[in-house]
Amino acid sequence: MDFDFSDDQKFLRDEARKFLEAQCTSAVVRNVLDNDDVSHAEDLWKQVKEMGWLGAAIPEEHGGLGLGMLEMCVIAEELGRVLAPIPFSSSAFYFAEAIKQFGTDAQKSAYLPKIASGEFVGCLATSEGPGDSDAAKLKTGFSSGKVSGTKLPVTDGDIATHALVLAKDGSGASMAIVALDADGVTRTPIQTLEPTRSHAEIVFDGAAAELLGNEVGNGMTQLDSILNRAAILVAFEQVGGASRCLEMAIEYANERQAFGRPIGGYQAIKHKLADMYVKNEVARSNAYYGAWALSTDAAELPEAAAAARVAASEAFWFASKENIQTHGGMGFTWEVDCHLYYRRAKLLSVQAGAPGVWKEKLVTALERKNAA
Amino acid sequence: MNFDDTEDEAKFRAEAVAFLEKNLEKKDAGAGRADRSRDDFLTRAKAWQKTKAAGGFAQITWPKAIGGRGGTPIQQVIWNQEESKFDAPTSPFAIGLGMCVPTVIAFGSDEHKQRFVPKALVGDEIWCQLFSEPAAGSDVAGLKTKAVKDGDDWVINGQKVWTTGAQFSDYGIVLTRTDPDVPKHKGLTMFIVNMKDPGVEVRPIHQASGGREFNEVYFTDVRIPDSDRLGDPGQGWKVALVTLMNERLAVGGSPGPDWKEIMGYARDAGTMSDGAFRAKLADWYVAAQGYKLTKFRSQTALSKGETPGPENSIGKVITANHLQDICNSAVEMQDHYGIISDRDKAPAEAIFQESLMWAPGLRIAGGTDEILKNIIAERVLGLPQDVRVDKDKAFSEM
């Protein structure tokens, strides 16, 4: 039994934490939050690119570090802890993994080295309205190498250089790669609950596009797999954020005095924080199982991914809202960081599948497994 | 990251499995519920303990000098995992070998060790733990059972409660108050007590679940020689903490029906399409996995020779509530039929009804939800202790 990260991976985590605590301070996050014209933390993004983290799970032959998915999980957790306001997940968790998994050799050679270096920034454009993506309801179309339609919201859509677009293709759906500087692409930043991660509406009007891989009509199957794999990495981001919320709540509860003693001495607060701890550990253990499934391409990946996502969304949401509650009135001010985590928790819980969607995926996977 | 045994672990597991296969039947997959009321349960349990001891699997982490295997904690975990797959009657020994006898080993004399350890190990003698009282549960240091020195003896009077296995125990460790004029934690003393003493009366408790697994134990002028004292007079709390620390690593399976059982039931009943049920099923799976995988993390630490982290403490908080919630949903899913607890007539042989009635006890036994959350908050998260207004006052003044 070795259900833990290796010493090398823990070393990477320690180094990443040191770096991010110094370079991704609250001030850096708030600079993005408070300025409408700042879409992401440029200096931080530049340094992250230079460290090669974007290519941690990209093979060396395609310009990556050739480490692996476990290393990417470690990085994801650390980015989640500090609310890194950069388009890392869009590019590394969704776009790069999609190309790795489904791209042709030519696409791998064309995209992966530039994603690894940060020259290209990818994003995932699937959403067209409330609810989970549904091939039958898709309005965006893909034919004769052109995409037309509107995607909203697209995380990092205004920062990215390339988008993976889910589009109707004849009777089915396909995933298409679109260069966002092409003619026929209009991008408009939109206001969201989570301004430290940029979102856009993208209108495609006959924009040049290429099919992901070489099989037409396979888009929903591809998307399912892309989302499952990314779900595990996002779960680590969430676990990182939830852990930080618990630390903030403990620190404040030990410090803040009421009725003559620290509020952390009262059971109403102690039990709240104990509940937070239990949810966080459940989420962490489920995320680790996802990491194992991801790194070994296990048959259990669909249920592991869904469970990781369900547990992590619940943990981060609970920790972020009860962290505000623990901070009392202070927690409801703009100046205290609690609301940044509350915002990020909500973004990550609804991004690429809300908890209800993942619960349904989980039960479907369990049914399939138990029927076999 | 993997779930594989190391070479040594695999070797030990194979040895354990071979021994178990030779001596026990595999659990019947359908049954899953050992009937502990059967008359021969205790006889079978004692026989199995003897076989285990002869094979060197009785107490794996104990030193060889006292009859253990001299093995590692991870070997004990592996043994427990494998043993739980068989129809092994182990419960009468869990508290004695897991908590009481280790306390005797830590604080007893050489005579005690020679007299008691071997017989406990082979299952000839069963031990119980006598701490809780009617007015001292979560705050057990507030107990009132008195021990008064009389010549070379101590005379015990008082009442204990919720004593598991008292009805078939031969010996017990009993925590008593020997000095009421000092603060409550400082006036306690621990003794070994002979449960067959005429002054010891065991009465079964009629539990809310209908069963009678636990007991009240009354002490009337029970004389205990001073030589059967464990630790110095007034040091009983320190001794009790050692007992509680020895509570073995929780490695048992789930204490009743889990997501798999309720999913199986829902399929049979044709209610799998209910969206609200599906969402709950997902939550139960996530919690059950969270608990199981957290144990794997502890096991990993043990496997590497490290001490498991605080992650272990979340176990019962999750499982007890989880069980209650699953059983409640199953019973409600059965609509009016859910009220039937007759095993022959109720759906799924009434497993959900029976565990529904057992669940409240599980949330209290071995530390209430609230006490466990206090422990997590204080010992894991480092939050301040609760206010203890009796901390510095003599017990007699409270």
Side-chain angles (χ1 to χ4, degrees):
Chain A
M1 177 78 51
D2 189 3
F3 189 47
D4 196 1
F5 289 98
S6 69
D7 289 345
D8 282 351
Q9 287 152 1
K10 287 180 185 168
F11 178 75
L12 171 66
R13 180 183 65 198
D14 295 345
E15 292 300 302
R17 185 165 304 184
K18 261 186 261 168
F19 167 78
L20 288 169
E21 277 174 0
Q23 302 303 325
C24 187
T25 57
S26 170
V28 169
V29 179
R30 283 173 174 279
N31 186 45
V32 181
L33 176 74
D34 289 332
N35 294 293
D36 287 346
D37 53 344
V38 177
S39 64
H40 62 292
E42 269 185 56
D43 284 350
L44 174 67
W45 184 228
K46 189 162 161 276
Q47 293 179 76
V48 165
K49 286 194 238 182
E50 281 165 5
M51 284 191 300
W53 287 358
L54 284 156
I58 293 176
E60 283 174 282
E61 53 166 319
H62 291 307
L65 297 179
L67 294 169
M69 295 315 292
L70 292 176
E71 285 75 7
M72 200 52 119
C73 291
V74 165
I75 292 169
E77 182 179 343
E78 296 310 314
L79 293 171
R81 273 181 69 87
V82 295
L83 304 172
I86 52 177
F88 191 92
S89 61
S90 293
S91 207
F93 303 171
Y94 291 100
F95 194 88
E97 287 301 310
I99 303 280
K100 268 169 68 184
Q101 220 189 339
F102 297 110
T104 61
D105 287 346
Q107 285 168 341
K108 286 179 190 167
S109 305
Y111 293 105
L112 292 179
K114 290 185 175 172
I115 287 287
S117 70
E119 185 182 336
F120 283 176
V121 177
C123 68
L124 183 71
T126 54
S127 173
E128 297 186 1
D132 194 20
S133 294
D134 179 349
K137 290 188 197 152
L138 273 180
K139 293 203 181 79
T140 300
F142 176 44
S143 64
S144 317
K146 305 240 182 254
V147 163
S148 291
T150 300
K151 294 292 182 183
L152 170 73
V154 180
T155 305
D156 301 313
D158 57 329
I159 307 169
T161 60
H162 293 75
L164 260 180
V165 182
L166 180 69
K168 198 153 60 176
D169 184 354
S171 58
S174 290
M175 297 290 291
I177 307 168
V178 181
L180 294 173
D181 59 359
D183 289 342
V185 178
T186 313
R187 304 192 261 177
T188 316
I190 50 161
Q191 192 184 336
T192 69
L193 292 175
E194 199 343 12
T196 74
R197 290 298 306 279
S198 192
H199 287 78
E201 177 181 59
I202 308 187
V203 178
F204 300 98
D205 183 9
E210 61 171 310
L211 181 70
L212 172 67
N214 44 28
E215 212 178 315
V216 175
N218 206 19
M220 292 312 289
T221 313
Q222 289 174 335
L223 179 63
D224 204 42
S225 176
I226 292 164
L227 294 182
N228 277 347
R229 295 172 68 83
I232 294 158
L233 295 159
V234 174
F236 272 93
E237 257 194 278
Q238 293 172 304
V239 165
S243 304
R244 187 64 203 124
C245 287
L246 176 56
E247 290 168 13
M248 289 165 74
I250 292 171
E251 207 174 302
Y252 189 76
N254 272 321
E255 193 175 274
R256 172 77 184 191
Q257 303 275 326
F259 308 107
R261 58 195 304 253
I263 60 169
Y266 298 107
Q267 289 190 359
I269 297 293
K270 287 163 94 159
H271 291 187
K272 184 194 293 298
L273 269 48
D275 287 339
M276 225 190 255
Y277 174 77
V278 171
K279 283 180 193 286
N280 284 2
E281 290 303 305
V282 166
R284 180 174 292 282
S285 292
N286 275 293
Y288 278 30
Y289 189 60
W292 165 79
L294 195 55
S295 67
T296 56
D297 261 324
E300 292 87 347
L301 194 135
E303 63 261 30
R309 233 6 209 114
V310 169
S313 290
E314 169 63 19
F316 196 8
W317 166 241
F318 183 82
S320 71
K321 76 186 172 83
E322 298 308 326
N323 184 34
I324 295 180
Q325 188 69 15
T326 303
H327 278 73
M330 289 297 291
F332 192 57
T333 62
W334 190 259
E335 288 73 23
V336 169
D337 285 349
C338 295
H339 71 105
L340 304 185
Y341 285 86
Y342 187 74
R343 292 171 184 281
R344 182 64 64 90
K346 217 56 251 159
L347 167 64
L348 295 184
S349 87
V350 299
Q351 187 182 65
V357 171
W358 286 105
K359 286 181 186 183
E360 184 49 41
K361 286 188 189 192
L362 172 55
V363 173
T364 306
L366 295 177
E367 283 181 304
R368 211 178 294 134
K369 199 176 173 189
N370 284 287
Chain B
M1 205 176 257
N2 66 68
F3 297 100
D4 307 333
D5 286 333
T6 64
E7 205 176 306
D8 285 351
E9 288 163 9
K11 202 173 138 223
F12 175 79
R13 192 183 295 275
E15 232 178 287
V17 170
F19 183 80
L20 286 159
E21 280 175 347
K22 203 176 102 191
N23 292 292
L24 285 177
E25 295 294 316
K26 272 257 163 122
K27 248 183 207 161
D28 176 0
R33 112 183 125 180
D35 192 348
R36 293 191 180 144
S37 63
R38 265 161 51 198
D39 292 341
D40 68 341
F41 183 76
L42 202 58
T43 318
R44 287 199 302 128
K46 286 190 170 190
W48 170 234
Q49 187 64 27
K50 198 165 295 250
T51 308
K52 250 166 93 168
F57 292 105
Q59 285 303 106
I60 286 160
T61 59
W62 288 9
K64 282 186 177 159
I66 56 165
R69 190 186 184 89
T72 59
I74 191 71
Q75 288 180 336
Q76 183 70 57
V77 170
I78 290 170
W79 170 264
N80 292 348
Q81 286 172 344
E82 296 303 328
E83 190 185 37
S84 71
K85 297 175 190 166
F86 289 79
D87 186 18
T90 57
S91 54
F93 305 99
I95 288 174
L97 291 173
M99 302 168 76
C100 304
V101 180
T103 310
V104 173
I105 293 170
F107 293 97
S109 62
D110 287 345
E111 289 75 30
H112 285 141
K113 287 178 218 170
Q114 281 156 20
R115 164 66 189 81
F116 293 118
V117 178
K119 282 188 188 292
L121 201 65
V122 300
D124 281 348
E125 288 174 354
I126 299 181
W127 286 68
C128 61
Q129 182 240 76
L130 300 141
F131 289 9
S132 294
E133 294 188 6
S138 293
D139 182 16
V140 75
L143 58 84
K144 290 178 183 154
T145 293
K146 257 195 313 194
V148 178
K149 191 82 189 285
D150 181 29
D152 284 340
D153 292 342
W154 295 79
V155 180
I156 317 278
N157 280 287
Q159 182 197 349
K160 296 289 175 179
V161 76
W162 296 115
T163 313
T164 310
Q167 71 275 36
F168 49 69
S169 285
D170 300 284
Y171 291 92
I173 55 173
V174 59
L175 191 57
T176 64
R177 182 158 311 280
T178 46
D179 185 356
D181 298 322
V182 291
K184 64 181 180 183
H185 288 95
K186 294 178 180 161
L188 303 174
T189 306
M190 187 84 82
F191 297 96
I192 296 172
V193 60
N194 179 355
M195 292 297 287
K196 307 296 181 197
D197 187 288
V200 176
E201 189 196 348
V202 178
R203 293 185 204 161
I205 297 173
H206 194 182
Q207 296 140 212
S209 57
R212 296 171 192 267
E213 282 93 356
F214 299 95
N215 305 279
E216 294 176 301
V217 179
Y218 291 82
F219 296 91
T220 310
D221 294 332
V222 175
R223 297 190 82 85
I224 298 180
D226 187 53
S227 56
D228 282 349
R229 177 170 36 80
L230 294 173
D232 292 335
Q235 294 292 305
W237 187 246
K238 205 178 93 188
V239 179
L241 288 180
V242 171
T243 310
L244 297 172
M245 259 173 19
N246 268 302
E247 218 159 1
R248 64 179 185 168
L249 190 63
V251 284
S254 87
D258 206 336
W259 66 271
K260 255 189 199 157
E261 283 76 18
I262 196 168
M263 184 171 164
Y265 173 70
R267 288 158 80 112
D268 294 346
T271 52
M272 270 309 288
S273 58
D274 174 7
F277 173 73
R278 294 173 75 83
K280 281 200 270 186
L281 184 61
D283 287 335
W284 294 324
Y285 175 84
V286 164
Q289 281 286 102
Y291 174 53
K292 182 178 101 178
L293 296 164
T294 301
K295 283 195 294 189
F296 286 171
R297 286 166 56 204
S298 301
Q299 195 182 327
T300 297
L302 285 176
S303 177
K304 292 179 179 169
E306 298 160 7
T307 309
E311 64 273 357
N312 236 355
S313 56
I314 70 172
K316 205 174 75 82
V317 181
I318 296 178
T319 54
N321 283 281
H322 180 77
L323 176 72
Q324 195 167 36
D325 194 28
I326 286 178
C327 291
N328 181 46
S329 290
V331 167
E332 290 188 354
M333 198 193 290
Q334 293 163 10
D335 213 86
H336 200 174
Y337 227 75
I339 204 71
I340 304 174
S341 59
D342 182 330
R343 284 188 189 180
D344 296 329
K345 294 198 171 71
E349 292 180 311
I351 55 168
F352 299 110
Q353 281 77 7
E354 286 178 15
S355 287
L356 181 82
M357 292 313 296
W358 180 249
L362 197 66
R363 289 185 49 198
I364 294 163
T368 62
D369 287 356
E370 292 72 20
I371 287 291
L372 293 178
K373 285 182 188 179
N374 268 6
I375 290 173
I376 291 173
E378 292 175 14
R379 300 200 201 145
V380 181
L381 307 183
L383 293 168
Q385 282 204 333
D386 276 13
V387 172
R388 284 150 205 251
V389 294
D390 56 357
K391 208 172 74 180
D392 301 316
K393 281 191 189 157
F395 183 73
S396 54
E397 286 167 27
M398 292 303 298

